[in-house]
Amino acid sequence: MASDGEREIAAIRDRVVAEIRAADSVTALDDVRVRVLGRSGELTLQLRAVGALPASERPAAGKALNQARRAIEALLDERRASLESAAISGALHDSSFDFTLPATPMRLGTLHPISRIQYQIEDIFTSMGFAVLDGPEVESDYYNFEALNIPKNHPARDMQDTFYLEDGNLLRTHTSPVQVRAMEVMRPPIRAIAPGRVFRYEVTDASHENTFYQVEGLMVDEDISVANLIAVMKTMLREVFERDVTVRLRPGYFPFVEPGFELDIRCFICEGKGCAVCKRSGWVELMPCGMVHPAVLRYGRIDPDRHSGFAFGLGLNRLVMMRYRIDDIRLFLSGDLRFLEQF
Ligand code: DAH
């Protein structure tokens, strides 16, 4: 036999269920929820009063109230979902909405040509077992110059015009500092590249920028020679230019390599016959490189009597300009969509 209390609860539940069914909007539904289940809602107050009942009645009353609350909550959720979906389909069936209208075309972004070639170079070197490293763009004098065998007052400091910061640091003028940072934390065999942005205090024109990109390369092991350097460079260039390339080395001076070279490639426009791109020489200067100077190995805590290495500093902008026949370096940072959308 149901007690008076249970009958009362059943009556409340039935009334609330009817109210929920009758609610014709989410707002009306929320009103019902607050009135019944809110802080001083009808059912909440009843639940709170259970504690005051005689001990023998408490379990049954508590159980009945909780069942009623759960049933009401479930019904509230269900009704809310159906009111919401009805609101959406109502909007969709509004006669002013034309489903057949084509959508506004989305403008897809593209990779910047520098990024494209950088990622390609990263893939090539990764497949040869090289790690891809990163280094800070704000560098110390030590890493940018000192540890690369360019002491203070060395004339080679004038080779690169530097942006100095007020705190004594500088914007790195090349990615070579990453060589030293790599040697500090890695032990031979070391195979690493470090792509990144570099800065020069420079007047801009079609072939000069104050901000550009390099890919530094470093390989250190026992018995590394110029032959290894040439082999790695040819592999990389074959992939980038999608054909075999002929290379040559000329002597070049950089304080952190000995011997130092300029690596040229046979002009891929005229095949070496001489044209405007190669200035009639048949060769195009591509990248400086060399055998890591023993002093630099020592700065990297590597014993030059046991280990040797090669390094290169690829000018990424220049490579991309050759790859896509771009004639003005300033286009890269111009943000000009007519330029960027071609890639
Ligand atoms: N860091 C040099 C520059 O930006 C380029 C360079 C030359 C890098 C020779 C090298 C290298 O790793 O071996 O002017």
Side-chain angles (χ1 to χ4, degrees):
M1 255 286 280
S3 69
D4 285 352
E6 283 166 54
R7 263 194 298 276
E8 197 187 330
I9 293 165
I12 294 176
R13 188 195 58 210
D14 292 346
R15 200 194 68 238
V16 173
V17 166
E19 283 177 13
I20 293 173
R21 296 231 164 90
D24 55 3
S25 70
V26 174
T27 331
L29 201 61
D30 283 340
D31 283 346
V32 178
R33 183 188 291 274
V34 170
R35 237 180 322 107
V36 180
L37 300 175
R39 193 192 283 268
S40 44
E42 211 170 344
L43 220 53
T44 314
L45 293 179
Q46 294 259 2
L47 268 162
R48 224 176 271 156
V50 168
L53 291 175
S56 60
E57 291 176 24
R58 267 181 238 158
K63 188 171 164 209
L65 279 167
N66 275 315
Q67 271 172 356
R69 192 189 58 191
R70 274 195 294 275
I72 288 169
E73 277 172 348
L75 202 60
L76 277 168
D77 289 345
E78 195 186 297
R79 182 78 184 136
R80 168 181 274 268
S82 85
L83 283 171
E84 281 173 348
S85 79
I88 292 168
S89 73
L92 290 182
H93 287 96
D94 182 339
S95 59
S96 66
F97 194 95
D98 181 358
F99 288 97
T100 64
L101 209 62
T104 324
M106 257 203 284
R107 276 169 71 110
L108 277 187
T110 56
L111 279 181
H112 192 281
I114 295 271
S115 307
R116 273 180 96 99
I117 301 292
Q118 179 187 321
Y119 296 161
Q120 192 187 356
I121 289 173
E122 287 178 9
D123 285 345
I124 297 165
F125 278 101
T126 307
S127 77
M128 292 192 280
F130 282 64
V132 180
L133 305 181
D134 209 358
E137 291 177 347
V138 172
E139 252 311 355
S140 63
D141 185 279
Y142 175 79
Y143 286 108
N144 198 79
F145 293 123
E146 203 88 18
L148 288 168
N149 202 28
I150 317 175
K152 295 214 166 50
N153 305 318
H154 191 287
R157 290 213 177 187
D158 298 340
M159 287 167 74
Q160 300 175 351
D161 298 301
T162 310
F163 285 111
Y164 285 96
L165 307 181
E166 283 173 0
D167 64 4
N169 287 318
L170 46 83
L171 297 185
R172 67 175 176 190
T173 57
H174 50 183
T175 42
S176 302
V178 188
Q179 285 188 38
V180 183
R181 290 180 175 277
M183 287 189 279
E184 283 179 346
V185 296
M186 298 166 90
R187 292 297 89 192
I190 298 174
R191 275 173 293 184
I193 58 165
R197 199 155 58 142
V198 303
F199 309 87
R200 303 270 171 98
Y201 184 50
E202 192 121 50
V203 177
T204 60
D205 62 29
S207 51
H208 293 87
E209 250 296 6
N210 49 38
T211 303
F212 53 99
Y213 294 79
Q214 293 184 335
V215 180
E216 194 75 15
L218 177 69
M219 183 162 177
V220 180
D221 201 353
E222 291 170 9
D223 300 322
I224 295 293
S225 70
V226 178
N228 300 110
L229 167 63
I230 294 174
V232 169
M233 296 296 90
K234 286 186 86 156
T235 307
M236 188 266 289
L237 295 170
R238 185 165 54 232
E239 295 286 330
V240 172
F241 287 100
E242 294 167 343
R243 54 196 279 191
D244 279 316
V245 290
T246 309
V247 304
R248 76 173 183 190
L249 293 182
R250 281 180 295 119
Y253 173 71
F254 299 92
F256 32 93
V257 280
E258 180 55 38
F261 307 109
E262 289 288 351
L263 184 143
D264 298 340
I265 58 172
R266 164 80 50 77
C267 181
F268 48 91
I269 307 279
C270 65
E271 304 293 345
K273 289 186 197 71
C275 68
V277 169
C278 61
K279 303 194 197 87
R280 314 264 148 229
S281 73
W283 295 91
V284 184
E285 188 176 314
L286 193 68
M287 76 180 113
C289 51
M291 302 307 293
V292 182
H293 196 290
V296 176
L297 290 173
R298 269 188 227 108
Y299 274 112
R301 292 197 286 276
I302 288 173
D303 180 1
D305 292 328
R306 265 194 70 197
H307 292 107
S308 54
F310 70 73
F312 61 86
L314 174 64
L316 198 50
N317 299 62
R318 210 172 128 70
L319 184 68
V320 175
M321 288 170 81
M322 285 196 273
R323 175 71 175 69
Y324 293 120
R325 314 267 168 98
I326 297 165
D327 59 10
D328 192 329
I329 193 173
R330 291 169 294 190
L331 284 167
F332 290 121
L333 296 180
S334 65
D336 189 334
L337 288 178
R338 292 168 305 176
F339 169 68
L340 295 172
E341 279 171 345
Q342 297 176 65
F343 301 96

